[in-house]
Amino acid sequence: MSAGLVTGVALLGALTGRAAVPLAHRFVEGSTARSGVGRGAAVAAGAVVFGGLAAARGADPALPALLLVAAVGLALATADLACLRLPNPLVGAAALGGGLGLAGAALVAGTPGRLLTALAGAAVSFAGYALLALLPGARLGFGDVKLAAALGLPLGWLGWPTLGLGLLLPHLLNGVVVLALLAARRVRRDTPLPFGPALLAGAWLAALLA
């Protein structure tokens, strides 16, 4: 993809990030909201996320599906940071948008078999995170499990190594963030923290490295 098109997609991402904040707040209302994401940070995140995907996956017919999932993911990350919730309608929109986008990519590329791999990726992600959530003392919620399944669709499409990386990276990223917050005395060991942003960031990085 040319530099001009990457820049255009990054600008679209910036606009999407700006729109993600009020969209997330519609689901945050009535919850115990914490300090969430400001519009400036959301705009920057949207530009980086969209621009990175366009630069790394520009020739992939699945790029529109990846961008759809990323767009909803920006709102999900905002909501989770604000109130430790991953609203079901947004998770469902990510799964539906990703699934329809990948179906279109399979038709364009003439590779319907990759849809089976995508569905298998979603199933593996769901099963793996469901088991983790059921472990004694686990801090994962079933919102995280459902989001992992939604992200398993595009990760599965990109291949098993990408899926494995996408399942591993969130834990590494979350561990680094938790250690940094503990060192800065911003949180305690029993402070509940959102895991959705780490899931989304790990999936994004895995897609870039695929």
Side-chain angles (χ1 to χ4, degrees), residues 41-56:
V43 166
V48 171
V49 168
F50 272 50
L53 287 173

Side-chain angles (χ1 to χ4, degrees), residues 116-146:
L116 295 178
T117 308
L119 291 172
V124 168
S125 298
F126 179 84
Y129 273 86
L131 287 174
L132 290 176
L134 292 172
L135 290 175
R139 295 191 177 184
L140 286 177
F142 270 84
D144 300 313
V145 175
K146 288 178 280 190

Side-chain angles (χ1 to χ4, degrees), residues 28-148:
V28 171
E29 290 176 359
S31 302
T32 304
R34 311 179 325 159
S35 177
V37 178
R39 291 202 176 189
V43 166
V48 171
V49 168
F50 272 50
L53 287 173
R57 313 299 312 169
D60 194 328
L63 178 61
L66 297 176
L67 294 177
L68 277 171
V69 174
V72 183
L74 290 167
L76 280 165
T78 301
D80 205 13
L81 287 167
C83 66
L84 296 176
R85 282 182 56 211
L86 292 166
N88 285 329
L90 290 179
V91 176
L96 180 61
L100 291 176
L102 292 176
L107 289 174
V108 170
T111 54
R114 292 184 73 175
L115 282 177
L116 295 178
T117 308
L119 291 172
V124 168
S125 298
F126 179 84
Y129 273 86
L131 287 174
L132 290 176
L134 292 172
L135 290 175
R139 295 191 177 184
L140 286 177
F142 270 84
D144 300 313
V145 175
K146 288 178 280 190
L147 177 58

